[in-house]
Amino acid sequence: MKHLISISDANIPHLISSAHCIENTFINYKFNKILTNLFYEPSTRTSSSFASAMYKLGGKVISINDVNYSSVAKGENLEDTIRTMGTFCDAIVLRSRTAGEAARAAFVSEVPVINAGDGNGEHPTQTLADLYTIHKEFGRLDNLTVTFVGDIENGRTVHSLDKALPDCEKNFIDTFDKSIWPASDVYYLTRVQKERGSEGSYRMRKEHIQHIPENAIVMHPFPRNEEIPTWFDNDPRARYFQQMRNGLIMRMAVLADIFSNEK
Ligand code: NCD
């Protein structure tokens, strides 16, 4: 059984080529499978794109998007909830509040567990969407300069993307650093994770933007707060809305991979 807990579990070249194939050819998938979306933290993009991906693959979704309306509110532990849902479905997408909980879930699960963000740990499917976005732009995932701006310590999307790009030059600029950002191919901005105790705020300003090269791209996993002003959305370097679309395709690739390889 294949779990996806860390980005290190993913076969990145295989998933990128599968995503290209899904995006550019018509394949009529008919997976007669059921996915559970089990979310202990809020989500718009991750939960909805997993649901959409599953429907596009011909499957069905059980959505527990607010565990406060499940037996979790009666004190049920993670392991019992995972074992229970595993008897009703073929894979579980889990968003949890604490790093390490996705691995704990996988340990007891009868069905594949996909980590949809575990506290300040990792967020592998967001990273796959990010990698697909970068690969589409530059045709490679090495020899690029990537500047991470924002919540470096508590941003799980930063942790997974950093791990996935061992052959890139990386800069890390945290919220309190007001310096001008270095010239890069990719700028990866993140929200300050206030719910995890992070503090501060920052905003991409005109003086930052004028130093961003013309052929660079600006990414953000979203939701955004004040980091990127909305007037930048029409700038040709903005890629965050394409990133969401790529997230849907990539999640189709991940689910198709899991269900095709099931024993
Ligand atoms: C991110 C997350 O949940 O880690 N959102 C997402 O899944 N696209 C980023 C965030 O919440 O700041």
Side-chain angles (χ1 to χ4, degrees):
M1 187 181 13
K2 258 171 114 172
H3 299 290
L4 177 56
I5 304 305
S6 162
I7 190 63
S8 325
D9 301 329
N11 181 339
I12 294 168
H14 167 73
L15 287 169
I16 286 186
S17 80
S18 160
H20 271 296
C21 184
I22 288 171
E23 192 166 11
N24 298 309
T25 53
F26 178 77
I27 311 169
N28 195 8
Y29 288 101
K30 283 205 169 72
F31 286 106
N32 188 18
K33 300 281 183 183
I34 299 176
L35 180 74
T36 293
N37 261 343
L38 179 60
F39 280 65
Y40 287 72
E41 282 190 341
S43 169
T44 299
R45 273 149 292 272
T46 308
S47 64
S48 306
S49 63
F50 263 114
S52 176
M54 196 59 189
Y55 293 132
K56 282 174 181 279
L57 293 173
K60 296 192 170 54
V61 182
I62 300 172
S63 289
I64 304 185
N65 279 335
D66 184 346
V67 290
N68 292 320
Y69 290 97
S70 73
S71 285
V72 172
K74 301 180 190 172
E76 186 164 76
N77 67 34
L78 176 70
E79 283 78 1
D80 287 351
T81 304
I82 292 289
R83 283 202 166 130
T84 304
M85 295 318 297
T87 62
F88 305 144
C89 71
D90 303 291
I92 298 173
V93 172
L94 172 69
R95 171 162 291 183
S96 52
R97 296 191 188 111
T98 310
E101 282 187 323
R104 249 176 67 200
F107 190 68
V108 298
S109 185
E110 297 281 333
V111 298
V113 172
I114 302 170
N115 180 5
D118 59 332
N120 66 359
E122 284 208 45
H123 193 345
T125 62
Q126 178 63 50
T127 294
L128 289 166
D130 300 340
L131 295 172
Y132 188 41
T133 307
I134 297 170
H135 193 272
K136 272 165 116 177
E137 195 68 38
F138 299 101
R140 63 183 195 279
L141 295 174
D142 57 1
N143 290 311
L144 295 165
T145 305
V146 182
T147 297
F148 293 89
V149 189
D151 198 335
I152 308 301
E153 192 187 341
N154 281 322
R156 55 197 174 197
T157 61
V158 174
H159 301 159
S160 293
L161 187 57
D162 177 23
K163 252 192 203 176
L165 295 172
D167 301 317
C168 288
E169 189 183 323
K170 286 168 276 186
N171 306 301
F172 297 91
I173 301 193
D174 86 15
T175 318
F176 295 100
D177 188 341
K178 299 292 176 221
S179 54
I180 292 298
W181 307 338
S184 306
D185 301 298
V186 176
Y187 295 81
Y188 193 88
L189 277 62
T190 51
R191 177 178 69 87
V192 179
Q193 308 277 305
K194 299 223 158 81
E195 70 273 40
R196 302 188 211 294
S198 296
E199 288 175 358
S201 67
Y202 72 98
R203 195 177 166 83
M204 185 167 90
R205 297 182 189 284
K206 291 231 162 72
E207 59 266 32
H208 292 123
I209 295 165
Q210 71 201 23
H211 285 91
I212 296 180
E214 227 170 85
N215 52 358
I217 59 171
V218 174
M219 299 172 65
H220 191 307
F222 267 46
R224 72 175 144 189
N225 292 151
E226 64 279 16
E227 310 78 65
I228 304 180
T230 50
W231 55 256
F232 188 74
D233 295 356
N234 293 325
D235 188 287
R237 294 164 290 185
R239 282 296 175 286
Y240 26 93
F241 291 108
Q242 286 92 329
Q243 230 175 310
M244 291 172 201
R245 169 93 197 142
N246 292 336
L248 167 66
I249 311 285
M250 214 3 135
R251 287 179 177 114
M252 287 177 73
V254 166
L255 292 171
D257 187 52
I258 282 177
F259 294 137
S260 319
N261 291 320
E262 254 184 12
K263 300 266 164 339

